[in-house]
Amino acid sequence: MLTGMAHAWNAGDGAAWAAHFAQDADFVDVVGRIQHGRAVIAEEHQKIFDTIYRGSRLTIEYVNSRQLTDGLLLLHTTSTLSVPEGPRAGVWHAIQTKVVRDGEILAFHNGMRMDLADFTHEDEELADRAPREWRRQQP
């Protein structure tokens, strides 16, 4: 499945990308939009393949997985996206959580990965805190 997804992305083929999803799948993209259904996932991906991610190259790596119930798998992957030009030019890293039902993706959540120092805008005090300590300080 992961190899097929990478091939579909690299070919710029929205229908082939979406073929890995269940008809009733939910896809949360990297900017937090929910796409529901294989047809919408195909259409939305074709839009980005034809525009901001034209000519991009995707690699996907397996991180881990575990069986939730019969026929239902929780899968984590990471990806690297190389975009040659345009407003998203550069190399982007992400992590994905997928719920796979009988070999098809039922749910997919995509999130950007970045260096914590960049995320905290070089705030060393914040970067040194554990995530549970990231609360606003009371005056």
Side-chain angles (χ1 to χ4, degrees), residues 64-101:
N64 60 39
S65 62
R66 65 183 166 98
Q67 201 71 34
L68 297 175
T69 64
D70 286 341
L72 203 60
L73 179 75
L74 177 65
L75 171 65
H76 290 106
T77 58
T78 59
S79 64
T80 301
L81 179 64
S82 299
V83 184
E85 60 188 4
R88 298 288 295 157
V91 177
W92 304 95
H93 302 282
I95 189 161
Q96 300 81 33
T97 299
K98 300 173 179 76
V99 176
V100 180
R101 179 182 65 198

Side-chain angles (χ1 to χ4, degrees), residues 93-123:
H93 302 282
I95 189 161
Q96 300 81 33
T97 299
K98 300 173 179 76
V99 176
V100 180
R101 179 182 65 198
D102 300 325
E104 294 182 322
I105 299 168
L106 179 62
F108 184 120
H109 186 229
N110 195 23
M112 294 298 292
R113 289 176 48 209
M114 62 189 312
D115 187 280
L116 187 56
D118 292 337
F119 178 77
T120 62
H121 301 286
E122 305 298 331
D123 183 330

